Amino acid sequence: MAAAPEWLTHDYIRHALRVHYEDAELKIVQLDVNPALGPGENYGGVLTRARVRFTLSQRPAEELLQNLIVKTSIDDDELSKELMAPYDIYNREMNIYEQVLPKLNELLKEIDEFEPLFPTAIFVDRERMAIIFEDLSVDNYVMADRIKRLNKEHAHLILRKLAKMHATSAVLNERSRGSLEGYDRGFFNRYTNAYSGYFVGGLLAAARWMSQEPEIAHYGQKLFELAPHYMDIGRKCFAPLSDSVNVLAHGDVWTNNVMVKYDSDTGRPVDIILIDFQYSFWGSPTIDLHHFFNTSLREPLRREEQSSLIEFYHRIFRDILRKLNYKANPIPSLHQFQLQAEQKRFFALHSAVVVQPVMISEDPTDACFNALMNDDERATRFKNRLYNNPIVQQNLKALMPVFDRKGLLEIHQCC
Amino acid sequence: MSVSDLIGTLDAIPKLMSSSSEADTQISGGPEWLTQRYVQDALRQFYRDPNLRIIALDGRPALGRGENYGGVLTRITAEFVSGDGNSQIGNYIIKTTYESNEFVRKIMEAYDIFNREMSVYEQILPKLKALLLEIGDSEQLFAETMAVDYDRSALVFDDLSKRGVGLDLNLARLVLRKLAKMHATSAVLNERENGVLESYDRGMFNRHTDNYAPIFEGMVQAASKCVAQWPGYEHYAQKLKDLVPVYMELGKRVFDVSPGINVLAHGDLWTNNVLVKYNEDTAEPEDAIIIDFQYAVWGSPAIDLFYFLNSSLQLDLHLHHQEELIQHYFMIFSDTLRKLRYKAHIPSLHNFHVQLKKKSFYAMHTSLGVFPIQRNVETDDADFNALIKTDQRAINFKNACYRNAVTQKLMRELLSVYDSEGLLDADQ
């Protein structure tokens, strides 16, 4: 596990709490600091758990407990740092936690629809690129199993939160004269192709595997031909649609970016919180749906019930927009929204073929950010191994014909 | 069987007042005014022989009840003597454009189906054929003349009017190949001749008339009543009922000409309008032609694709394989356009799917409103009046359509699918 950053000291945490509680005399009684995640669990940062007992100046006898998660940037090699720089993920996430998410909460409160969608940020440190959150795991929020993936109950909870986040973001943008439209650095953006090592590398690894399987070899061939155009197609997919309701998309909705609370008796999920806003961008809400469905749903839910899951999402999305009197664009009917999902279906291909194999890999060897993003020999071997996974193979054998007949394997599909 | 001639445009021939003589006996199977005297007058005009005299006449309906709501086809065998004393036997198909019923005539007039059909056959189809020949393609897409179209026995083609069966994959692909070439050549023709096909704007739903509204609204009502009796389906029944006031407008939007690629759509493409030639030895389907262009209309290829795919296929294909059939159609469609050097933009397959999806209402309309009519097996009262009227007989007929087990099975499968797609919403 990645070690806690050395600057995460007693004094540092005390300072953060003093700022948050606006209490310059706050005292720490006890502090435990531990790393939080293992390899392959999160490529987006180092998570450290801090458990703090403290007292406030007005009530010095009362010991309070706060559980915190500290999220800091990965201490990568220079090459990776340089690759990642144009995505500006740490700044973006800090901006969103500081400036955007609290306003979304306010909008929900306006219409009596408030429920927590994301964790509360206690402290944002732009110098050290760190965010300190309330640790949800203390309220028994845990991460679900990314290999087993999620069932319909989980999906409904996630979709409800996502619908509320999306709808309120559309309204916020309308009321703030387009303040969210500057979020234009999602995974596919016009500033950089730095993720192509992962995306095109993954696509080619998929193509290499398919070429060895007679029934799907012709799809492999199409993927080889698609590869040089892949990043451009992705960019077009990420472009917001005109005359449509665009939103601040989460950008990376998958199993490990949601925290789930389970009922201790029944074991069923009762609440879900969205985390990790590093790749949020202004665009179609259907992109989040395609990514979520194709990385995180169990079968046959993913293969058979996407349409009704979209219906479920849309009902809430439309409801919130109406309640908040959204006027900037026509609120889509369900049919129009399904149409939009079809227009953005390339991202379903991307999520299923390139992203999901990484998310459900059980192979910890070389599972680190470098292997993902680069294209040296070690990275190539790592990607090849992803497609030895029998679940991945089963999924893609079922899905490639679907993508093919939708025209998503064609070079000029955007025309 | 000799090649038949067509006696058409019967509007031009004045209807005789009946007087009691053998010559005025109604020919069996035909409309009431179709008498021997009438046929004799028609033949005299046709052969320009005022002295022609019928010796013997036999008539029978050409199609069964429920096989063609667009008119009455009567097959006639006539033995006659011409003015110069020669006797011959001729076989004819008489097509009346509608039943001899002022009420029905007035309703169908607004759709102008007979004139359109003639103009398509005489002016358009030959040009489409010429375009295919330009690229060295001599495939036959449609019957050469209307006469041959009607006398199906003149070709060694069988029509596919077997109820409740539906086309298999091979036949479906065959028909779609023809359709693709027809659509592509029509798009090119329209481009080369400066929008000549764009005046075909009176399809089944159009912005000139709502005369067919009682048919479509009546079917949705009947569907709703039927579905309301199924436990757990009440919510669908209510949605169908709520669709009635907006149904015609939603249908018109399908036919409105939208951005993207447009074609001369056939307008009524189902199994009864496809003739298939089977190989004599192997009994395998060898060729197919498309007939009956009464409802040809300029618009989206979706008009034909959704209508065909939701009326004419085996159940499994209907439910699960439409997308790949569209892909098959599109490969030929776009290939033919390219070969003919179509100048305007040819969409990608993905964008074509998106363009079609905008017209998905028509898929729902066909499955839920048209398929039940076509598959109806209680055909005693299967005529145009039963479709268009709102009296008890008409209501009974429509209810009967929904009693069909095949129709019910289809609806049980598709209602939830259409609902999830938002196609049952009044505000879609």
Side-chain angles (χ1 to χ4, degrees):
Chain A
M1 290 192 193
E6 14 114 305
W7 47 261
L8 195 60
T9 60
H10 180 284
D11 285 359
Y12 183 90
I13 292 177
R14 187 180 60 188
H15 169 70
L17 289 176
R18 280 179 173 176
V19 168
H20 178 71
Y21 286 102
E22 293 172 345
D23 181 349
E25 306 299 318
L26 184 151
K27 285 186 171 56
I28 291 187
V29 174
Q30 189 186 347
L31 175 63
D32 293 305
V33 174
N34 290 298
L37 287 179
E41 298 292 326
N42 190 341
Y43 293 101
V46 175
L47 296 187
T48 310
R49 196 161 265 129
R51 198 180 145 85
V52 198
R53 284 190 192 284
F54 64 100
T55 59
L56 294 170
S57 57
Q58 315 109 313
R59 298 189 300 277
E62 189 187 340
E63 242 179 51
L64 301 165
L65 175 63
Q66 181 100 55
N67 291 282
L68 303 171
I69 285 269
V70 183
K71 183 167 179 177
T72 50
S73 59
I74 292 178
D75 191 19
D76 267 320
D77 55 280
E78 279 311 305
L79 189 62
S80 295
K81 273 198 188 137
E82 211 181 291
L83 264 179
M84 289 303 294
Y87 290 92
D88 202 26
I89 55 180
Y90 303 111
N91 278 327
R92 174 160 39 258
E93 188 162 41
M94 289 188 291
N95 289 339
I96 288 180
Y97 270 108
E98 257 198 341
Q99 290 151 26
V100 179
L101 302 187
K103 291 183 182 149
L104 303 188
N105 283 340
E106 291 311 307
L107 285 169
L108 286 178
K109 284 175 186 157
E110 219 177 272
I111 52 170
D112 222 9
E113 285 277 357
F114 176 76
E115 54 176 316
L117 306 182
F118 18 74
T120 308
I122 302 276
F123 187 71
V124 172
D125 183 347
R126 287 177 187 277
E127 253 181 66
R128 293 189 182 80
M129 309 282 236
I131 310 176
I132 303 183
F133 299 100
E134 275 181 335
D135 184 357
L136 294 168
S137 69
V138 167
D139 287 324
N140 295 314
Y141 282 83
V142 297
M143 253 183 217
D145 187 328
R146 64 183 171 85
I147 312 264
K148 288 207 182 106
R149 284 155 287 151
L150 306 174
N151 66 10
K152 196 186 293 194
E153 276 184 311
H154 289 85
H156 281 179
L157 285 167
I158 292 170
L159 290 173
R160 189 175 83 230
K161 306 291 178 127
L162 209 53
K164 287 189 168 186
M165 178 188 152
H166 286 165
T168 50
S169 77
V171 173
L172 177 63
N173 189 68
E174 176 184 33
R175 293 190 191 186
S176 64
R177 274 190 289 261
S179 70
L180 300 181
E181 292 169 33
Y183 285 95
D184 61 353
R185 286 181 196 251
F187 280 122
F188 291 99
N189 67 68
R190 60 192 167 95
Y191 303 99
T192 174
N193 272 342
Y195 256 93
S196 64
Y198 168 9
F199 294 162
V200 180
L203 190 76
L204 291 171
R208 284 192 292 272
W209 162 65
M210 286 181 207
S211 302
Q212 294 158 29
E213 303 269 347
E215 329 114 64
I216 54 174
H218 54 299
Y219 301 129
Q221 186 52 39
K222 282 188 160 180
L223 292 186
F224 280 126
E225 289 166 20
L226 192 61
H229 308 266
Y230 196 76
M231 297 304 287
D232 284 332
I233 297 171
R235 252 185 289 279
K236 291 193 179 118
C237 187
F238 265 48
L241 288 166
S242 54
D243 306 320
S244 296
V245 181
N246 291 292
V247 304
L248 186 68
H250 177 286
D252 196 15
V253 184
W254 75 287
T255 316
N256 272 21
N257 279 341
V258 304
M259 303 287 291
V260 189
K261 184 175 189 157
Y262 292 96
D263 182 292
S264 47
D265 299 316
T266 64
R268 292 163 67 167
V270 295
D271 195 28
I272 265 175
I273 296 284
L274 307 166
I275 63 173
D276 199 331
F277 295 85
Q278 294 178 338
Y279 291 97
S280 295
F281 69 99
W282 181 253
S284 168
T286 61
I287 292 187
D288 272 349
L289 300 179
H290 287 311
H291 192 265
F292 168 51
F293 293 159
N294 287 285
T295 56
S296 311
L297 285 185
R298 284 190 197 163
E299 307 294 353
L301 196 55
R302 183 253 297 267
R303 275 207 296 276
E304 294 174 8
E305 295 193 53
Q306 287 192 36
S307 210
S308 62
L309 289 174
I310 290 179
E311 182 188 4
F312 178 89
Y313 163 95
H314 171 267
R315 190 171 295 130
I316 301 165
F317 179 65
R318 180 181 55 183
D319 188 49
I320 302 290
L321 286 172
R322 280 180 180 161
K323 282 180 172 154
L324 282 167
N325 239 316
Y326 176 81
K327 292 268 181 291
N329 289 288
I331 298 175
S333 67
L334 175 56
H335 173 54
Q336 288 164 338
F337 193 76
Q338 293 281 16
L339 203 59
Q340 203 181 115
E342 197 61 50
Q343 285 173 281
K344 298 301 187 184
R345 189 96 41 200
F346 168 80
F347 208 58
L349 166 78
H350 170 75
S351 305
V353 175
V354 171
V355 181
Q356 185 176 50
V358 178
M359 303 309 180
I360 62 174
S361 166
E362 296 191 70
D363 182 359
T365 319
D366 296 327
C368 71
F369 199 65
N370 287 319
L372 206 51
M373 295 296 283
N374 296 315
D375 55 9
D376 56 20
E377 248 192 70
R378 173 171 164 259
T380 303
R381 282 197 309 266
F382 167 68
K383 290 183 187 92
N384 286 340
R385 278 198 301 274
L386 295 175
Y387 295 92
N388 291 337
N389 183 337
I391 308 277
V392 170
Q393 295 187 347
Q394 192 179 68
N395 287 342
L396 293 185
K397 280 184 181 161
L399 289 171
M400 290 310 291
V402 178
F403 295 137
D404 183 50
R405 63 185 186 236
K406 285 180 180 287
L408 297 170
L409 306 185
E410 292 186 354
I411 292 171
H412 300 295
Q413 60 184 267
C414 295
C415 300
Chain B
M1 176 73 78
S2 60
V3 174
S4 293
D5 297 308
L6 173 71
I7 302 178
T9 335
L10 289 172
D11 318 331
I13 305 171
K15 293 183 180 29
L16 296 175
M17 305 315 305
S18 58
S19 58
S20 53
S21 85
E22 196 196 72
D24 297 311
T25 316
Q26 181 196 347
I27 291 164
S28 83
E32 46 168 88
W33 46 262
L34 191 64
T35 61
Q36 180 166 315
R37 188 192 302 282
Y38 187 95
V39 176
Q40 183 172 273
D41 281 343
L43 289 176
R44 281 176 176 175
Q45 276 211 17
F46 193 71
Y47 290 106
R48 295 184 231 275
D49 180 351
N51 297 313
L52 183 152
R53 200 166 44 86
I54 288 184
I55 303 166
L57 189 58
D58 180 42
R60 56 222 172 273
L63 287 178
R65 278 189 162 290
E67 292 186 9
N68 185 353
Y69 292 93
V72 177
L73 293 187
T74 313
R75 193 167 261 136
I76 302 251
T77 305
E79 190 181 352
F80 60 92
V81 179
S82 61
D84 56 13
N86 288 321
S87 87
Q88 39 177 291
I89 293 181
N91 290 289
Y92 309 94
I93 294 269
I94 297 181
K95 176 162 179 163
T96 58
T97 57
Y98 28 71
E99 294 151 42
S100 61
N101 177 324
E102 200 59 23
F103 167 74
V104 175
R105 187 181 69 79
K106 274 193 138 44
I107 289 172
M108 299 198 85
E109 202 165 48
Y111 292 82
D112 201 28
I113 54 181
F114 194 69
N115 286 332
R116 172 166 42 254
E117 182 168 41
M118 284 198 60
S119 87
V120 168
Y121 265 104
E122 286 176 6
Q123 289 150 39
I124 307 303
L125 299 190
K127 290 184 181 176
L128 301 189
K129 181 175 163 137
L131 281 170
L132 271 190
L133 285 174
E134 224 179 83
I135 52 172
D137 189 337
S138 55
E139 180 160 15
Q140 189 180 10
L141 305 183
F142 22 72
E144 296 298 307
T145 64
M146 260 160 75
V148 173
D149 181 326
Y150 295 130
D151 187 6
R152 300 165 185 212
S153 58
L155 311 159
V156 191
F157 279 76
D158 284 334
D159 65 56
L160 298 170
S161 55
K162 297 177 196 66
R163 263 165 223 309
V165 174
L167 303 183
D168 63 20
L169 188 65
N170 281 333
L171 278 168
R173 288 166 62 96
L174 178 57
V175 174
L176 288 170
R177 187 174 84 231
K178 306 290 178 162
L179 186 66
K181 291 187 177 187
M182 190 185 111
H183 282 175
T185 48
S186 77
V188 172
L189 179 68
N190 190 69
E191 183 173 73
R192 291 193 192 183
E193 292 197 13
N194 243 319
V196 68
L197 300 178
E198 291 169 31
S199 57
Y200 287 91
D201 63 352
R202 283 181 194 250
M204 287 205 188
F205 291 90
N206 64 69
R207 295 277 175 196
H208 299 284
T209 174
D210 274 356
N211 280 358
Y212 284 170
I215 305 178
F216 303 135
E217 291 171 358
M219 288 302 284
V220 186
Q221 294 275 25
S224 174
K225 261 196 316 247
C226 165
V227 167
Q229 293 159 30
W230 301 345
Y233 281 76
E234 302 79 9
H235 136 85
Y236 297 123
Q238 185 59 48
K239 281 195 147 176
L240 288 170
K241 198 153 166 247
D242 292 339
L243 269 182
V244 173
V246 294
Y247 202 84
M248 290 306 288
E249 174 57 30
L250 291 173
K252 289 174 199 197
R253 287 184 197 166
V254 172
F255 282 71
D256 286 340
V257 177
S258 302
I261 193 155
N262 289 292
V263 302
L264 186 68
H266 176 280
D268 192 17
L269 188 63
W270 65 296
T271 45
N272 260 29
N273 287 335
V274 179
L275 303 189
V276 176
K277 184 196 274 185
Y278 289 89
N279 182 291
E280 277 167 20
D281 305 313
T282 68
E284 288 298 307
E286 219 169 51
D287 202 12
I289 59 169
I290 298 173
I291 63 170
D292 196 338
F293 288 84
Q294 293 180 342
Y295 287 99
V297 65
W298 180 254
S300 167
I303 293 170
D304 280 345
L305 287 168
F306 285 148
Y307 193 83
F308 175 65
L309 295 172
N310 289 286
S311 66
S312 306
L313 300 180
Q314 284 172 357
L315 188 65
D316 180 59
L317 296 180
H318 188 150
L319 295 174
H320 304 302
H321 294 274
Q322 289 197 25
E323 225 168 35
E324 63 210 65
L325 286 170
I326 292 174
Q327 181 185 26
H328 170 73
Y329 158 96
F330 185 77
M331 292 309 163
I332 300 164
F333 177 63
S334 52
D335 192 50
T336 308
L337 285 171
R338 263 187 288 272
K339 284 181 177 153
L340 282 165
R341 298 196 208 283
Y342 180 67
K343 293 197 188 74
H345 177 68
I346 302 173
S348 67
L349 173 59
H350 171 59
N351 280 332
F352 187 70
H353 279 301
V354 171
Q355 181 188 333
L356 293 181
K357 203 174 165 88
K358 291 181 183 153
K359 308 288 192 181
S360 295
F361 171 82
Y362 209 53
M364 186 276 288
H365 160 75
T366 305
S367 288
L368 300 189
V370 177
F371 179 99
I373 298 174
Q374 292 169 347
R375 300 297 175 103
N376 174 43
V377 292
E378 301 181 33
T379 53
D380 289 348
D381 284 320
D383 56 25
F384 190 75
N385 277 314
L387 282 180
I388 197 67
K389 286 189 164 168
T390 51
D391 58 15
Q392 196 56 51
R393 177 177 178 268
I395 292 174
N396 290 343
F397 167 73
K398 294 182 182 88
N399 289 339
C401 289
Y402 288 101
R403 278 199 287 274
N404 183 330
V406 174
T407 294
Q408 293 207 349
K409 186 166 179 187
L410 184 75
M411 286 177 65
R412 279 179 189 274
E413 296 267 0
L414 284 179
L415 279 167
S416 63
V417 174
Y418 291 142
D419 195 31
S420 291
E421 290 287 323
L423 296 171
L424 301 184
D425 293 349
D427 60 353
Q428 56 187 273

